[in-house]
């Protein structure tokens, strides 16, 4: 295998939208759970993740849909301060990149990416290439975003190991011919990589 492609959310960074919603729960007319449902199950943010609308347009959409009484700058800060790094996974990427080409492939919107890159530049510098949905104008599991990974890496699907926490995305990626590991935990991933004969340096 020539390339390793990592998802971002729940793999390299954990996140919790409830952190943001708890901060504005008295300033929206919609329950936090209904907002969560809209974000995760009703594709409310998909056009933003695909880069089809701007950050300010998404803010206006959010305010209108959920009756939010908040200005743009405050929204950006609260919307983005929901992430924290998974240090064991980031260390693993550091070790792997000494022997393999590593890439990031993520369904992510522009606000979240800019926030994370600004606050964790060392993490993003680990990757040889970034495949971001808002730039690719496609989200996983659409074939277009995997083709973008193939183009950026120069690796055919059969030479890529793709790591993601979502089983539905893993299932679709397998259909395209990628080698896949569903991420559950650090040690489970290490075992999965070993099954693909991936050598993991003990130290940098």
């Amino acid at each position: 295998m020539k390339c390793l492609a990592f998802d971002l959310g729940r793999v390299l960074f954990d996140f919790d939208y409830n952190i943001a919603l708890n901060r504005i729960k008295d300033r929206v007319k919609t329950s936090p759970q209904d907002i969560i449902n809209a974000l995760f199950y009703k594709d409310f943010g998909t056009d933003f993740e695909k880069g089809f609308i701007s950050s300010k347009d998404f803010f206006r959409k959010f305010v209108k849909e959920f009756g939010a009484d908040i200005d743009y700058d405050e929204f950006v800060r609260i919307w983005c301060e929901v992430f924290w790094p998974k240090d064991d996974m980031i260390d693993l990427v550091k070790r792997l990149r000494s022997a393999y080409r590593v890439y990031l492939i993520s369904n992510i919107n522009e606000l979240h990416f800019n926030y994370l890159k600004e606050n964790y530049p060392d993490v993003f510098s680990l990757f040889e290439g970034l495949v971001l949905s808002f730039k690719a104008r496609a989200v996983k599991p659409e074939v277009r975003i995997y083709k973008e990974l193939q183009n950026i890496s120069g690796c055919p699907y059969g030479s890529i190991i793709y790591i993601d926490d979502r089983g539905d995305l893993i299932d679709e990626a397998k259909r395209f011919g990628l080698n896949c590991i569903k991420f559950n935990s650090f040690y489970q991933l290490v075992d999965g990589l070993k099954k693909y004969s991936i050598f993991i340096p003990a130290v940098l």
Side-chain angles (χ1 to χ4, degrees):
M1 302 301 170
K2 296 180 179 179
C3 304
L4 302 172
F6 289 83
D7 178 36
L8 185 148
R10 308 286 191 213
V11 177
L12 301 176
F13 290 87
D14 266 328
F15 66 92
D16 186 354
Y17 280 117
N18 286 301
I19 295 171
L21 297 177
N22 285 335
R23 293 171 68 181
I24 61 170
K25 62 183 178 181
D26 296 327
R27 298 162 64 186
V28 292
K29 297 178 180 178
T30 307
S31 72
Q33 188 57 54
D34 285 343
I35 297 176
I36 291 289
N37 290 341
L39 290 171
F40 284 99
Y41 305 114
K42 298 181 180 179
D43 296 327
F44 179 80
T46 300
D47 52 357
F48 189 29
E49 286 191 335
K50 286 187 174 186
F52 291 163
I53 63 173
S54 69
S55 298
K56 289 194 173 180
D57 284 340
F58 178 73
F59 162 71
R60 286 189 280 266
K61 179 181 176 180
F62 187 95
V63 168
K64 181 178 179 181
E65 180 72 16
F66 305 124
D69 179 18
I70 188 172
D71 65 38
Y72 177 72
D73 290 339
E74 187 177 12
F75 170 79
V76 170
R77 184 173 66 256
I78 292 173
W79 172 254
C80 292
E81 291 176 348
V82 297
F83 293 92
W84 61 95
K86 302 180 74 164
D87 293 334
D88 56 352
M89 285 298 302
I90 292 167
D91 178 69
L92 179 63
V93 174
K94 289 179 182 178
R95 291 154 60 188
L96 288 167
R97 75 186 294 266
S98 66
Y100 302 93
R101 294 157 60 190
V102 295
Y103 295 85
L104 180 73
I105 179 168
S106 177
N107 289 352
I108 193 169
N109 61 71
E110 185 176 22
L111 286 178
H112 283 165
F113 174 71
N114 289 343
Y115 169 82
L116 288 169
K117 190 173 183 182
E118 180 179 351
N119 285 275
Y120 304 97
D122 291 347
V123 174
F124 291 90
S125 68
L126 297 174
F127 296 97
E128 195 159 329
L130 307 176
V131 181
L132 310 172
S133 62
F134 76 93
K135 289 189 175 182
R137 298 297 181 98
V139 295
K140 298 176 292 184
E142 295 171 350
V143 66
R144 179 172 176 173
I145 196 167
Y146 296 114
K147 285 187 175 180
E148 183 71 10
L149 172 63
Q150 187 179 51
N151 292 337
I152 287 177
S153 67
C155 295
Y157 289 153
S159 295
I160 298 172
I161 296 178
Y162 163 56
I163 298 130
D164 202 302
D165 66 300
R166 283 179 51 182
D168 57 329
L169 302 186
I170 289 290
D171 290 343
E172 288 298 308
K174 285 180 178 177
R175 292 179 56 243
F176 301 137
L178 285 86
N179 303 281
C180 300
I181 301 174
K182 182 181 180 299
F183 176 82
N184 295 313
S185 70
F186 172 83
Y187 291 106
Q188 167 265 335
L189 174 60
V190 168
D191 287 342
L193 291 170
K194 289 178 179 177
K195 289 177 182 178
Y196 282 108
S197 298
I198 295 297
F199 168 72
I200 302 173
V203 293
L204 293 176

